[in-house]
Amino acid sequence: MKIESVEAILGRVGSRNQLLVKVVTECGIIGWGESGLSNREYAVMGAIKHFSQFLKGKDAKQIGRIWQELYRSHYFEGGRVITAAISAIDIALYDILGKKLNVPVYQLLGGRQRDNIPCFACCYTEADPDKLDDLVKESKALIALGWTTIRVIPSRFDDLTTFEPQESITRTARCLNELRKILGPDITLGIDYHHRLSVAETASFCQRLAPDTLDFIEEPIRNESPEAYKTLRTMTNIPFAIGEEFSSKWAAKPYIEQGLTQYLRIDVCNIGGITEAVKVSGWAEAHYIDVMPHNPLGPVCTAATNHFAVALPNFSLMETHQGPFSPFGAHDDKLFPQQHKLEGNKFIVPDVPGLGVEVNEAEFRKSTPIEVEAPHLSKRDGSHTNW
């Protein structure tokens, strides 16, 4: 079962671009993968073009061996561009093998560990005192639909030009303290700070929260320095959810071995595909760390992440943007006539060969990608800060 071609295809789905990778074998089986490096898709497409030259003629069944060749076949190994490209190809190869053997991908990973995949709900209203009524309305609507875990975004998150951390943490803490009082103790509540804070700012934010307000804080600071997270870990008892930026087992290593995260946010489309995700999650299991996958993209990413999660012993909750208030439109039925559908607040992985996703390739190729650049944020003094 030799590889005939590898192609990256960029298209617009809803309000965002999606970068798919199509791998075709000489016997006609097509596998689909997705890259997770949003807003830098052209860089990933360049890496895939390089890879496609020597992948032709390789045995598509040798997924682990191909992974090693993709990672090791150049002097400057690794990095997020390279591993995002590897991720997409790796996922496509699992799709192909599942189709060849007529089994779902999760059977290639040891079979189901659970009947369904529980998810957390994303709130899209900022946690700001001026928006508290809207946030309560959105949260209560989710709770009424059966959601028991809700993740919010901080105050000032939607400003596309300016982010002043001190203003954000002050207003966000005030809002969350009130939100917890209103929702009561039974709802699990988290926040994604999108690595916009410093160690001191994160500590200040956590100290402003009433006890038992938050159940987890996601990505409060950037992940380049495990030492910074080690310092921060001593300054708050709120569990951390870290890891969506990791692009290898080596990036995850100190966070797992030093207990710097309590929920590991593996991104199958960035860390190196299913192959690398399985390795890292096993490492986390040995340290009693549960995996809370990062799943912000389209149907191929969702399917790959679901197969990974359903076969995972140390799974916590799945991120999804198929919820009732999602503004993204990333799971377009016209472009993806077969895909994994959210059922209430959970996924049930379909028992079909491969990933269980069909792509309307002709329509996807006609979906002209948008020219997009992530916001370049500044503080009020004019200095640049993290998006």
Side-chain angles (χ1 to χ4, degrees), residues 227-248:
E227 293 77 16
Y229 261 113
K230 188 174 182 179
T231 298
L232 184 58
R233 181 68 286 168
T234 67
M235 302 171 79
T236 178
N237 61 0
I238 298 174
F240 293 158
I242 308 168
E244 67 187 55
E245 295 180 281
F246 294 164
S247 57
S248 72

Side-chain angles (χ1 to χ4, degrees), residues 243-310:
E244 67 187 55
E245 295 180 281
F246 294 164
S247 57
S248 72
K249 62 179 75 69
W250 297 284
K253 178 179 183 290
Y255 289 85
I256 295 172
E257 293 191 343
Q258 297 178 37
L260 302 182
T261 185
Q262 286 63 60
Y263 297 104
L264 189 59
R265 295 279 285 144
I266 289 177
D267 188 321
V268 172
C269 294
N270 275 323
I271 201 165
I274 294 171
T275 296
E276 189 79 339
V278 168
K279 292 178 182 178
V280 175
S281 64
W283 205 347
E285 182 189 5
H287 291 78
Y288 309 128
I289 297 170
D290 284 344
V291 175
M292 183 189 286
H294 184 232
N295 176 39
L297 304 173
V300 177
C301 173
T302 294
T305 310
N306 281 344
H307 282 281
F308 163 64
V310 83

Side-chain angles (χ1 to χ4, degrees), residues 5 21 28 46 69 85 92 100 108 164 188 190 205 229 281 288 307 385:
S5 64
V21 168
E69 186 169 3
K100 174 66 175 179
L108 307 177
E164 191 62 52
T188 300
F205 169 68
Y229 261 113
S281 64
Y288 309 128
H307 282 281
T385 189

